[in-house]
Amino acid sequence: MSERAAPFYCPYCGDEDLRPSEQGHGAWECGACNRAFQLKFLGLLARGLVQIDRGGDGT
């Protein structure tokens, strides 16, 4: 199993001043906007990605 992934930017302000939170697994704190948030992987979608054919000649 690989190491857990870390966010690169705050989802609220976009700053990079992030640190792990003491609130538990996947919890992060932003030093720039003073917000705390939690990231959680929910799973894979059963349908996967859907290709939409928009017609045309492909050029």
Side-chain angles (χ1 to χ4, degrees):
M1 189 163 236
S2 64
E3 195 175 315
R4 71 178 179 179
F8 294 108
Y9 304 99
C10 173
Y12 297 100
C13 72
D15 202 88
E16 299 177 9
D17 185 13
L18 300 177
R19 59 188 67 97
S21 175
E22 296 178 2
Q23 296 299 318
H25 181 71
W28 295 86
E29 298 173 354
C30 177
C33 69
N34 204 31
R35 288 186 169 107
F37 58 94
Q38 187 170 16
L39 302 176
K40 181 178 178 183
F41 177 70
L42 298 177
L44 298 173
L45 299 176
R47 67 175 190 262
L49 295 176
V50 178
Q51 286 275 350
I52 299 174
D53 184 16
R54 301 201 186 275
D57 61 1
T59 57

